[in-house]
């Protein structure tokens, strides 16, 4: 999957290794060659400091810091390694209140769990930089 002939760079943050693998393999099958994984917000932050991603897929329920809290920090911290990255929340716990809170934190799009590969790829295409 490429947008305007520009390759995508994606970071997948989820504490569930099986979900990370499913998302990563889906992206690679769609042609995304630069996919990195992190099991928590702290590891993701370090990964972004080494190499900022254009798109971040984040779970909300993670140990230590929720996806909403992590995104709020990504957007507001003056030392943020990727304050303008597109963030997609992939979560099994989406309701109107959580979506409103997530949007306020700076999350750009949502993919409910369980998800289809096509839904995941559609959301990425929706937010991908041109």
């Amino acid at each position: 999957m490429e947008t305007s002939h520009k390759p995508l760079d994606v970071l997948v943050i989820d504490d569930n290794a099986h979900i990370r693998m499913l998302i990563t393999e889906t992206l690679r099958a769609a042609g995304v060659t630069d996919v990195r994984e992190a099991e928590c917000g702290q590891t993701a932050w370090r990964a972004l400091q080494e190499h900022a991603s254009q798109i971040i897929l984040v779970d909300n329920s993670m140990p230590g810091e929720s996806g909403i809290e992590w995104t709020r920090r990504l957007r507001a911290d003056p030392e943020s390694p990727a304050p303008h990255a597109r963030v997609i929340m992939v979560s099994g716990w989406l309701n109107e209140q959580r979506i409103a809170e997530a949007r306020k934190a700076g999350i750009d799009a949502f993919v409910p769990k369980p998800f289809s590969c096509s839904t995941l790829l559609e959301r990425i295409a929706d937010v991908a930089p041109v």
Side-chain angles (χ1 to χ4, degrees), residues 28-76:
R28 288 193 174 131
V32 180
T33 57
D34 194 352
V35 182
R36 292 171 300 127
E37 298 180 16
E39 68 280 351
C40 67
Q42 184 178 7
T43 304
W45 197 268
R46 285 194 305 265
L48 287 172
Q49 287 173 325
E50 293 174 14
H51 180 81
S53 294
Q54 300 162 309
I55 296 177
I56 300 167
L57 301 170
V58 65
D59 182 29
N60 190 48
S61 301
M62 297 185 295
E65 187 175 41
S66 75
I68 292 173
E69 293 166 337
W70 186 86
T71 302
R72 190 176 292 122
R73 182 165 59 103
L74 179 76
R75 299 292 191 221

Side-chain angles (χ1 to χ4, degrees), residues 1-33:
M1 163 187 276
E2 292 187 10
T3 305
S4 300
H5 307 290
K6 183 177 182 180
L8 292 178
D9 177 338
V10 180
L11 175 62
V12 179
I13 312 167
D14 198 306
D15 58 317
N16 184 313
H18 297 291
I19 296 293
R20 286 195 317 268
M21 181 184 69
L22 175 62
I23 293 172
T24 297
E25 292 306 314
T26 298
L27 294 171
R28 288 193 174 131
V32 180
T33 57

